[in-house]
Amino acid sequence: MFVTHLECSACGLQHQWSRPQNLCLSCGKPLFVIIDLAGAGRTLKRETLATRQKSLWRYREVLPLPADIEPVSLGEGGTPLLRAEKFGGEIDLWIKDESINPTQSFKARGMSVAVSMAKYLGASKLAVPSAGNAGGALAAYAARAGLEAHVFMPRDTPRANIIECRELGAHVTLIDGLITDCGAEIARRKTKEGWFDMSTLKEPYRVEGKKTLGYELAEQCGWRLPDVVLYPTGGGTGLIGMWKAFDEMEALAWIGSTRPRMIAVQAAGCAPIVRAFEAGEKSAAEFSNAQTIASGLRVPRAIADFLILKILRQSNGGAIAVDDQEMIRITREVGASEGLFVAPEAAACFAALRSLACARKIRSGERVVIFNTGSGIKYLDCYEEQ
Ligand SMILES: Cc1ncc(COP(=O)(O)O)c(C=O)c1O
Ligand SMILES: [Zn+2]
């Protein structure tokens, strides 16, 4: 394994990877995994990747977990990048279809790596606040690992997510509130209950799993990153993970210094990042009365807000909000033209693409990638009455 240590993303303080860690012990911000890339690059080569297994564990040298430990895996990653010619029109549009992951969402990536590490480091009871998909993924990987999963979800989480967690053997608690209230409940009880907190970016390894989105994207684009990435942003783990992957790949001399314009897409009813981006803020204030059918975007306050905003600005990207009616309308348009029943979070990205193209912020011929982060099948309650 080539992990050297963990480093605080805000103050730089170093932490040991060899015991379970949550946030920075000095400033309370997220910790990042630091990898000896020179060492990793001795056996991990661009040219030989194609001969490896399709799962995200093909990038083993840049992932945590000692080499002789079997990962907790259900076949996550290795998802297709599909050309979306009809919807894209003049734009060179591609969809990274994450809905074919185990438990039908990209959350499988983060949980495969984080559960593998939690098990290796001796945790036995894992707790997570979830908008739905992360809970399902934790439940599945914890079951696979023989660990307990404790999932806290808002009561109005889509029914499919709640049932899925229960059928995967998790202990499910429904909370009258938002994901932030679920997180607060775990924080209150975790010491007494002996739970390890698996909240996104409050432990260092889910982002490592998510960063494989960036590795796969580069590989599938022939090592030339797209011009624009549209990413449905709640906690921002995928966006942050991809950005980390781009930096690592540059250090490995796999790609150059050009980066896509990273665009965070949020719901109009819960758009803390959009509001902060437009106001030129470095952090995002809590969004009150958060409401949207796109449960993964119902995140009124993100712990890594400052990292998301930094990436959007450094990449010359942006942030845009879409309302729920538009997400619902465009889901059918995407489905009927491209054959994918996308999650409403991803539908928001297709609607955002339309507005950005109209405003000439995305131009004909540019290569754009949208992440279909999950399957629409989990959200039947939102579509039933349409
Ligand atoms: C389908 C879907 N898309 C997007 C998101 C937001 O992901 P992130 O936390 O990486 O911003 C979520 C999170 O729950 C989700 O379930
Ligand atoms: Zn710190």
Side-chain angles (χ1 to χ4, degrees):
M1 182 181 70
F2 297 96
V3 174
T4 57
H5 61 278
L6 307 174
E7 192 173 288
C8 175
S9 57
C11 77
L13 185 70
Q14 294 196 2
H15 295 62
Q16 286 173 4
W17 70 264
S18 54
R19 52 198 187 94
Q21 302 275 9
N22 287 111
L23 294 167
C24 171
L25 295 171
S26 168
C27 75
K29 298 289 188 199
L31 296 176
F32 275 173
V33 174
I34 306 299
I35 289 160
D36 164 18
L37 291 166
R42 279 199 281 277
T43 49
L44 186 67
K45 307 260 183 229
R46 254 173 37 164
E47 304 73 44
T48 49
L49 274 175
T51 63
R52 295 190 173 194
Q53 59 174 327
K54 224 169 133 222
S55 105
L56 61 79
W57 292 98
R58 74 196 304 191
Y59 307 104
R60 186 76 193 236
E61 289 89 334
V62 290
L63 292 174
L65 202 66
D68 56 341
I69 304 292
E70 191 66 25
V72 182
S73 175
L74 289 160
E76 52 293 323
T79 57
L81 183 66
L82 305 167
R83 177 86 169 90
E85 209 167 342
K86 293 201 213 75
F87 190 94
E90 298 290 295
I91 290 164
D92 182 20
L93 179 64
W94 296 76
I95 306 170
K96 179 82 172 141
D97 186 17
E98 288 294 298
S99 69
I100 65 158
N101 273 301
T103 69
Q104 293 80 52
S105 92
F106 72 144
K107 299 280 175 184
R109 292 180 187 264
M111 288 304 183
S112 175
V113 176
V115 171
S116 295
M117 279 305 281
K119 181 177 182 183
Y120 172 69
L121 296 174
S124 58
K125 300 176 181 184
L126 312 179
V128 79
S130 173
N133 287 317
L138 177 69
Y141 285 91
R144 191 90 186 155
L147 307 178
E148 276 182 26
H150 297 264
V151 180
F152 288 74
M153 296 192 275
R155 196 171 295 282
D156 54 2
T157 298
R159 268 172 57 74
N161 296 119
I162 299 171
I163 295 169
E164 176 186 38
C165 288
R166 288 196 183 125
E167 296 307 316
L168 288 166
H171 303 262
V172 177
T173 308
L174 300 179
I175 299 273
D176 293 310
L178 296 165
I179 189 168
T180 34
D181 302 302
C182 297
E185 181 70 6
I186 291 174
R188 225 179 348 263
R189 292 175 53 192
K190 65 181 180 186
T191 310
K192 187 163 153 261
E193 304 278 0
W195 295 335
F196 181 66
D197 189 346
M198 299 281 281
S199 302
T200 197
L201 286 152
K202 289 189 186 167
E203 64 77 57
Y205 300 114
R206 283 176 65 183
V207 76
E208 289 299 295
K210 290 273 190 86
K211 87 180 176 189
T212 59
L213 287 170
Y215 278 90
E216 279 181 26
L217 186 62
E219 193 181 342
Q220 288 171 313
C221 290
W223 309 107
R224 223 201 83 228
L225 297 176
D227 299 301
V228 179
V229 165
L230 291 169
Y231 182 81
T233 307
T237 321
L239 197 83
I240 293 165
M242 270 191 272
W243 198 252
K244 185 173 188 284
F246 297 158
D247 286 348
E248 288 178 2
M249 284 188 285
E250 189 179 347
L252 286 163
W254 287 10
I255 60 167
S257 58
T258 312
R259 297 284 183 271
R261 307 201 296 282
M262 305 295 280
I263 299 185
V265 181
Q266 298 202 299
C270 181
I273 299 295
V274 178
R275 196 174 59 183
F277 182 82
E278 285 171 354
E281 306 281 358
K282 288 203 172 93
S283 59
E286 179 155 347
F287 201 92
S288 44
N289 300 320
Q291 262 178 346
T292 168
I293 54 149
S295 46
L297 306 183
R298 213 187 297 142
V299 181
R301 188 180 66 238
I303 182 148
D305 54 350
F306 65 108
L307 295 173
I308 301 170
L309 288 161
K310 201 157 76 181
I311 293 166
L312 302 181
R313 294 193 177 109
Q314 267 180 15
S315 73
N316 206 16
I320 179 167
V322 172
D323 70 44
D324 282 13
Q325 282 315 310
E326 188 57 10
M327 291 178 212
I328 287 175
R329 195 196 62 73
I330 214 151
T331 301
R332 192 171 298 182
E333 200 184 321
V334 175
S337 60
E338 301 300 342
L340 295 175
F341 181 14
V342 300
E345 292 84 349
C349 295
F350 289 89
L353 174 66
R354 278 276 158 78
S355 334
L356 292 166
C358 278
R360 306 216 146 272
K361 290 186 177 158
I362 293 179
R363 290 171 297 277
S364 298
E366 286 200 296
R367 179 170 287 187
V368 178
V369 173
I370 286 178
F371 284 84
N372 177 32
T373 44
S375 169
I377 286 286
K378 295 262 183 94
Y379 301 77
L380 294 184
D381 355 13
C382 307
Y383 292 95
E384 221 151 38
E385 271 124 53
Q386 300 306 309

